[in-house]
Amino acid sequence: MRCCRSTRQELLHWAAVIASASRVAALDSRRCTGSGRHRGPDAVSAVNLELVTLTEDRAVVTWYTGVPGTDDGLGRMLPAATEGEVVYGTHPARLDRSAVEDGLSAYHYVELTGLEPGQTYYYRARSRGRAATPTPLHLVSGNAVGTSSYGLGSAGPYSFTTPQPPPGRYLFSIALCNDLHLGETTAGRIAGIPLLRGIAQSPGLAPYPEVMSRALVEDAARRGADYLLAAGDISAEGGSVDLGRAKEILDGFGTYGEDYFVARGNHDRPRARDCFRDGFFKGDGPTYFSRDLHGLRIVGLDTYDKPGNGGGAGGLSEEQLSWFRAGLKQHKDQPTVVFGHHPLAVPHSPFPVTSGQRLDRRQARSILDGYASAPGVFLHHAGHTHRNKRTVVPQTPGVTLQEVSAVKEYPGGFCLLRVHSGGYALNYYKTRSGPAREWSERSRHQAAGIWPQFALGRSVHDRNSVTAHDLSGIHNRPAAPSPDGTGATLAAR
């Protein structure tokens, strides 16, 4: 989210929301951890259960185990490393399958594989015999652990139904990410709101933006991403050192301009000089672009193409807006993905929505008008809000507006776009390295402990969806050359 707020009314609204939710969160914490007076030496409490990823054949479940009755200074139990297991099945009384985590951890990440499309499953996650309880969502009408309300209000089991795969043949995948914030040292700090003190990395550990960005690159490759789009706020303050470090990390995925692409965010704006341009757009040309990937048109927008201090609404220059609308007309039927930092709309936020959280309203309407006349556009990816949210507006029912949560903090990950000839899937993944999972759990306690209300996504569907769309104009990514030069196979990343 933005780093500053400008009006007294907004600050008072924020303070009231946080104070109210913090009281409820504190009550929940006492219920989960107990007083600690009667706990045994091996007692653990398993909390913050989340169904993060759901595809047609797999699901990812995460949770945290802590020592009851303890406090690490952030309102969180001290971590308790233990085993993690998910038992599941197709009937709530017969959880006859099991997935076990490798090794001991307090930051549990279990992946269920070999699931059947269109099948309803029931599951429990547990550690040391204790069933994990869901992440509570007080400020939103949501569900962190399933696609139905089954099991909520009790000890489970919880329920989810796997989707059908996208229609048509699989073509390739693109990792969508944003808000790396290289150079940042405190997460969740908002000027003028004392309750939002922010959270720093534990002493002695690597800077969290680097931990999370390196985990992003590693996991995006492991999940089969052929390309990566980073939608802005690559750095915290637009400095050359931080942008250079970001490029060094992203270069671990592939070649800039061929395998990965970036767009500017408000944190990447020019100061004394435009280091973002210097690092990613050499010369005096525009900081917006389009590319053709095997028939898929990728458009990268600079949504802070204007003077300013980083606050206020995002904006395109008139030259850029004219270029963009002309391109939509010229390529109106070509399958197209657009990405840029500021979202076009910010619906269903539990927090006050200000102009600074989105693109300029007039320009957003102009872009949506252009999409209504360009049936090839099917996805607009944005960051900035640091949350997972899928939106479809009546004006453009064929376009998914997908906000993706920040790389640099809870829940900490990326969205994988899987392109098929007859449609596409969007699936959110948390990054899996040990340091990334540790920081993600620590940073969930920003905003006085209510950050999950906003960042996770109100429903599994906000971070995992399948959409039918004619993408037959896109081709398979060409195979990488094999050692004998035949190009017969595409090497796995």
Side-chain angles (χ1 to χ4, degrees):
M1 302 187 69
R2 281 197 311 132
C3 294
C4 54
R5 296 288 184 265
S6 58
T7 69
R8 179 178 177 82
Q9 182 178 12
E10 290 167 2
L11 296 180
L12 291 174
H13 192 168
W14 265 97
V17 168
I18 292 168
S20 174
S22 297
R23 288 192 293 270
V24 179
L27 177 60
D28 272 352
S29 178
R30 290 194 294 271
R31 287 171 178 167
C32 289
T33 63
S35 65
R37 289 178 294 179
H38 304 294
R39 69 180 187 271
D42 296 324
V44 299
S45 185
V47 298
N48 300 338
L49 178 66
E50 295 167 358
L51 176 60
V52 179
T53 309
L54 182 62
T55 78
E56 63 271 17
D57 62 0
R58 67 188 58 224
V60 176
V61 178
T62 65
W63 70 97
Y64 174 72
T65 48
V67 180
T70 62
D71 191 321
D72 70 348
L74 298 173
R76 178 185 72 157
M77 294 178 290
L78 291 171
T82 184
E83 75 284 352
E85 179 187 30
V86 175
V87 291
Y88 61 105
T90 57
H91 190 281
R94 292 193 301 275
L95 306 182
D96 52 4
R97 300 170 65 178
S98 173
V100 180
E101 195 170 22
D102 293 333
L104 304 181
S105 178
Y107 313 97
H108 301 281
Y109 188 113
V110 175
E111 187 162 356
L112 315 182
T113 59
L115 305 180
E116 298 179 13
Q119 175 67 58
T120 297
Y121 292 89
Y122 303 85
Y123 76 98
R124 277 194 179 95
R126 60 194 186 192
S127 291
R128 205 172 294 173
R130 300 294 182 92
T133 57
T135 289
L137 299 179
H138 305 296
L139 300 181
V140 296
S141 177
N143 181 348
V145 294
T147 57
S148 78
S149 60
Y150 190 94
L152 296 179
S154 67
Y158 308 107
S159 169
F160 63 81
T161 301
T162 53
Q164 295 293 332
R169 69 187 186 284
Y170 171 74
L171 300 174
F172 51 84
S173 294
I174 303 174
L176 310 177
C177 65
N178 41 264
D179 296 278
L180 285 65
H181 286 236
L182 268 292
E184 184 179 278
T185 58
T186 304
R189 178 181 291 165
I190 299 181
I193 307 178
L195 285 172
L196 300 187
R197 56 179 177 160
I199 295 177
Q201 176 68 290
S202 298
L205 298 183
Y208 63 83
E210 294 189 23
V211 167
M212 302 304 284
S213 296
R214 293 188 188 281
L216 156 73
V217 167
E218 180 179 352
D219 265 13
R222 284 185 178 179
R223 293 292 180 184
D226 297 289
Y227 302 98
L228 183 146
L229 308 180
D233 279 5
I234 309 302
S235 65
E237 296 296 336
S240 60
V241 172
D242 296 330
L243 285 162
R245 183 63 56 84
K247 187 174 186 302
E248 172 197 330
I249 293 172
L250 291 172
D251 281 349
F253 182 84
T255 302
Y256 172 66
E258 296 180 12
D259 301 309
Y260 78 91
F261 306 87
V262 301
R264 188 201 300 271
N266 54 303
H267 281 270
D268 304 314
R269 67 191 182 277
R271 270 72 170 183
R273 59 183 295 175
D274 191 346
C275 297
F276 179 81
R277 178 192 293 275
D278 293 344
F280 292 103
F281 295 87
K282 306 298 185 183
D284 298 325
T287 50
Y288 46 89
F289 60 91
S290 67
R291 296 288 188 275
D292 188 292
L293 301 180
H294 327 299
L296 173 65
R297 186 169 184 253
I298 301 291
V299 181
L301 299 180
D302 180 346
T303 64
Y304 212 79
D305 188 11
K306 64 175 210 173
N309 64 0
L316 281 60
S317 65
E318 290 302 318
E319 179 184 10
Q320 181 183 177
L321 185 60
S322 176
W323 167 86
F324 179 59
R325 287 184 58 87
L328 289 179
K329 291 180 180 178
Q330 183 180 354
H331 302 276
K332 65 179 182 178
D333 295 314
Q334 183 176 0
T336 299
V337 170
V338 180
F339 76 109
H341 189 61
H342 292 76
L344 304 182
V346 188
H348 305 126
S349 173
F351 298 143
V353 176
T354 66
S355 62
Q357 292 184 24
R358 55 174 292 167
L359 194 69
D360 172 83
R361 288 182 179 273
R362 177 186 64 82
Q363 292 190 347
R365 285 195 297 268
S366 176
I367 289 173
L368 289 171
D369 287 343
Y371 290 171
S373 302
V377 180
F378 64 92
L379 176 66
H380 185 116
H381 157 222
H384 191 57
T385 56
H386 295 202
R387 69 170 182 170
N388 292 309
K389 182 70 177 75
R390 179 182 187 271
T391 301
V392 176
V393 298
Q395 184 179 355
T396 55
V399 182
T400 295
L401 308 180
Q402 183 68 53
E403 300 166 56
V404 179
S405 62
V407 169
K408 59 102 173 180
E409 65 196 4
Y410 170 88
F414 63 96
C415 193
L416 187 66
L417 166 64
R418 292 184 289 132
V419 181
H420 287 236
S421 59
Y424 60 97
L426 291 165
N427 296 113
Y428 183 77
Y429 289 92
K430 288 183 180 179
T431 47
R432 287 179 287 181
S433 75
R437 285 189 279 164
E438 182 175 353
W439 168 253
S440 176
E441 185 62 32
R442 180 176 175 86
S443 61
R444 76 183 290 133
H445 292 274
Q446 64 190 51
I450 61 171
W451 189 240
Q453 312 281 334
F454 184 83
L456 176 64
R458 299 194 308 165
S459 69
V460 175
H461 192 62
D462 271 330
R463 53 190 180 273
N464 298 277
S465 62
V466 176
T467 304
H469 196 97
D470 181 10
L471 301 177
S472 56
I474 305 174
H475 313 293
N476 290 84
R477 183 185 182 187
S482 60
D484 62 3
T486 63
T489 59
L490 174 64
R493 287 185 178 275

